[in-house]
Amino acid sequence: MMNRREFLETASASACFTILPRHVLGGTGVVPPSDKITLAHIGTGTQGLREMPRLMAIPEIQIVAVCDPSKHAIGYRDWGRDDLLNELRTVLGKPEWMAGTEGTVPGGRDVAKDFVETYYATEQGGAFKGCSSYADFRELLDKEKDVDAVKIMTPDHLHGIISIASMKRGKHVIMHKPIANRLREAKLVIDTARETGVATHFMPWEANGSMDQVMAWIKAGAIGDLREIHNWTNRPVWPQYTNLPTVTTPVPEGFDWDLWLGPEADRPYSPDYTNMVFRGWYDFGGGSMADMGHYSLWTVFNALDLGSPTSVEPMLTHTCGLKDGIAYTVNNDFSFPTASTVRFKYPATGKRPAVDLVWYDGGMRPPTPEELEIDSEELPIEGMMFVGSKGKILAGFQLEDPHLIPQGRMPRDLVAPVRARGQHGAVPSGMRQWIAAVRGGPQSPSSFLNAGPISEAVNLYAVALRTGKKLLYDGQSQKVTNVAEADKYLEREYRKGWDPRAQ
């Protein structure tokens, strides 16, 4: 029987006459099919489709399979009605692609399969039918044995399950944030990556800014001893429901609700759990910090050597209702609050004093510092601020344009060169380094192995909000020592057949 790689070589050769001649002639950027990293794309919702073209543009990678519990483009939500459809049409250079679907947000494995095959056919100048389709990632992993890697673009609650199963089968992994939406499951993911030795790429690394300038000022004493880091976002920009769904809704045709639930407890289907709103539920998402904090804070954790916090203190909004004319507070341990502030305390190390990290979401942000009032300015909607004993550094949310405040405190001799990141400058991108790791090179900086402390923080954020209580935390044992009810939220109770330790 012909395996996947042999099929791709045959299909590419028979579909057109452009690839082979360019390879023989040494054409720029041409990678022969036998040298490509074959990849299965697991999760084909709106964000999966939106990021797919950037992945397919990398000549070393070939998508050979797609997987999603949803077969059709039914019930997807997005930031604009036809924006994604038009983006995909532009990539393909085919304004007629998926004609007749205008007004329906694209998504699902059928759309993804068609996009992949149309993309490669257009690129090669002929027909292409080399992309398989699956509803269940477990079936994909069982049948697509010669696939080299997977990319995971599912809702948060499936990240850990799928990545562990993939790594145990020797597959290299690319994954969106978070590592997992339970603290101990995230640790299991990282431990599995270490044990298997596969190459992993945690996608938020590409978006992190540089800490070089900030660290240069801190080391030069420009703000005295660092005491606090403040990071704030306007997220959530999706609904975070204040009540559990009560309306009975039929499961859409072609959607496997049981597969979508995965490890989480069975419950009636509701469209208010799925697609873009999943991240607002404790069971399925990780809230605003899991969504955005990886982009802004991972490089901060690395530069300041932030390990495990000793305490996590939440401040959060609540919801009230009326029943028979009597006001009451909703007991909400199922969805993230509309807005919150969470303070993490990190102990001193040999290189720095103790420091607090404060996260804000839902429009919350720190008070405007006096230094900024001197410049007649206000804090931006999103940003980051480093507070020292003698001064402050203000930057964009992802460390853009760091500067001492007030502006008059900006001495020229403290300005340090800013190291490039991602696709710019001399430093290779995380994806390029991941490709090298797949081919036998060292693990990249974007490896799961380097994401332990940031993963711990975003999961403790969720537990603190869910309990509404200040947590004292022992990082060595991974236990909350003062709130007994919090421990159960550090891990999940797996449905039968979904425990990753048994896969």
Side-chain angles (χ1 to χ4, degrees):
M1 179 180 293
M2 183 181 296
N3 65 27
R4 165 72 64 185
R5 197 177 297 280
E6 291 169 340
F7 170 77
L8 281 172
E9 293 187 51
T10 303
S12 297
S14 62
C16 62
F17 296 97
T18 56
I19 284 185
L20 185 58
R22 281 162 49 192
H23 166 52
V24 170
L25 295 173
T28 302
V30 177
V31 178
S34 59
D35 290 347
K36 287 181 179 286
I37 297 168
T38 55
L39 182 138
H41 199 286
I42 303 176
T44 59
T46 53
Q47 196 61 25
L49 288 173
R50 183 170 282 111
E51 294 186 5
M52 195 176 280
R54 291 195 290 271
L55 184 70
M56 298 174 74
I58 300 172
E60 292 90 346
I61 293 174
Q62 175 99 30
I63 295 178
V64 298
V66 295
C67 179
D68 198 282
S70 185
K71 180 175 174 62
H72 308 299
I74 298 175
Y76 284 94
R77 295 136 164 175
D78 203 15
W79 313 116
R81 183 59 58 187
D82 288 326
D83 294 4
L84 177 56
L85 176 63
N86 290 331
E87 287 175 26
L88 298 175
R89 285 173 168 175
T90 299
V91 169
L92 296 174
K94 294 181 179 296
E96 75 285 357
W97 183 72
M98 300 293 292
T101 66
E102 291 81 1
T104 299
V105 177
R109 62 184 184 272
D110 279 2
V111 171
K113 174 181 168 66
D114 190 75
F115 178 79
V116 169
E117 294 186 335
T118 303
Y119 181 98
Y120 288 136
T122 302
E123 180 185 68
Q124 298 173 9
F128 183 88
K129 296 294 180 184
C131 183
S132 301
S133 175
Y134 297 88
D136 191 335
F137 74 90
R138 297 169 297 186
E139 182 185 4
L140 184 154
L141 293 174
D142 286 342
K143 292 184 176 179
E144 302 285 337
K145 296 186 184 299
D146 59 328
V147 162
D148 299 318
V150 301
K151 181 180 180 183
I152 301 169
M153 292 292 300
T154 66
D156 298 353
H157 70 293
L158 294 167
H159 286 192
I161 301 291
I162 298 174
S163 61
I164 290 169
S166 300
M167 290 187 289
K168 284 184 175 180
R169 289 166 175 79
K171 311 301 182 188
H172 307 287
V173 179
I174 304 168
M175 189 160 66
H176 223 316
K177 38 66 183 175
I179 293 284
N181 73 332
R182 293 293 185 278
L183 187 147
R184 289 173 185 157
E185 188 174 285
K187 183 179 186 301
L188 184 59
V189 171
I190 295 168
D191 288 346
T192 304
R194 184 176 294 107
E195 291 163 5
T196 60
V198 299
T200 57
H201 173 59
F202 193 35
M203 292 171 60
W205 179 255
E206 301 284 13
N208 269 244
S210 170
M211 276 287 285
D212 287 1
Q213 182 108 64
V214 172
M215 292 305 295
W217 284 329
I218 291 173
K219 291 176 180 178
I223 62 171
D225 291 334
L226 179 65
R227 291 178 174 173
E228 297 177 341
I229 307 133
H230 298 263
N231 192 203
W232 60 99
T233 179
N234 67 336
R235 264 59 170 188
V237 289
W238 53 82
Q240 298 200 160
Y241 298 94
T242 56
N243 290 286
L244 290 166
T246 56
V247 177
T248 301
T249 307
V251 177
E253 179 187 356
F255 180 56
D256 193 318
W257 173 236
D258 185 73
L259 284 178
W260 190 93
L261 281 174
E264 278 297 332
D266 194 16
R267 70 204 72 193
Y269 165 80
S270 171
D272 291 336
Y273 285 134
T274 61
N275 300 325
M276 74 182 326
V277 298
F278 69 84
R279 57 177 46 90
W281 301 98
Y282 288 121
D283 282 352
F284 305 125
S288 296
M289 190 176 186
D291 181 55
M292 292 302 294
H294 290 92
Y295 294 128
S296 55
L297 290 172
W298 191 1
T299 188
V300 176
F301 271 72
N302 289 353
L304 295 173
D305 191 25
L306 299 180
S308 296
T310 54
S311 70
V312 186
E313 183 177 10
M315 290 166 278
L316 61 151
T317 57
H318 64 272
T319 303
C320 295
L322 287 171
K323 185 175 182 180
D324 299 328
I326 304 301
Y328 70 96
T329 300
V330 175
N331 181 21
N332 181 357
D333 68 345
F334 45 81
S335 66
F336 286 86
T338 304
S340 70
T341 299
V342 180
R343 179 178 290 268
F344 302 80
K345 286 188 172 294
Y346 288 90
T349 68
K351 298 179 180 179
R352 59 156 176 78
V355 64
D356 287 6
L357 168 65
V358 190
W359 170 267
Y360 309 77
D361 55 38
M364 305 296 285
R365 55 185 174 180
T368 301
E370 293 180 2
E371 293 90 341
L372 207 57
E373 292 178 351
I374 293 173
D375 293 327
S376 299
E377 296 182 12
E378 296 182 2
L379 289 173
I381 294 174
E382 295 187 300
M384 191 180 301
M385 182 166 60
F386 299 83
V387 178
S389 58
K390 298 179 180 179
K392 298 178 178 69
I393 301 169
L394 182 63
F397 180 75
Q398 292 164 259
L399 292 163
E400 307 93 334
D401 184 31
H403 54 277
L404 294 163
I405 55 174
Q407 293 282 5
R409 292 203 61 212
M410 287 285 289
R412 295 180 179 275
D413 60 347
L414 288 181
V415 176
V418 177
R419 177 172 57 86
R421 173 66 61 84
Q423 299 291 340
H424 306 285
V427 177
S429 71
M431 273 300 298
R432 186 62 56 190
Q433 292 168 318
W434 175 79
I435 290 170
V438 169
R439 292 176 168 172
Q443 291 284 352
S444 72
S446 63
S447 166
F448 295 174
L449 304 180
N450 298 323
I454 182 69
S455 295
E456 189 174 51
V458 298
N459 280 301
L460 286 171
Y461 150 89
V463 176
L465 292 176
R466 198 165 189 176
T467 61
K469 298 177 180 179
K470 180 178 180 178
L471 308 179
L472 302 181
Y473 180 68
D474 177 20
Q476 188 67 29
S477 64
Q478 288 195 315
K479 290 184 178 180
V480 174
T481 60
N482 67 320
V483 180
E485 67 190 90
D487 197 64
K488 66 182 179 182
Y489 298 132
L490 296 177
E491 55 191 354
R492 65 166 34 93
E493 185 175 342
Y494 296 98
R495 278 203 299 162
K496 185 177 180 180
W498 287 94
D499 191 329
R501 293 162 295 194
Q503 293 183 11

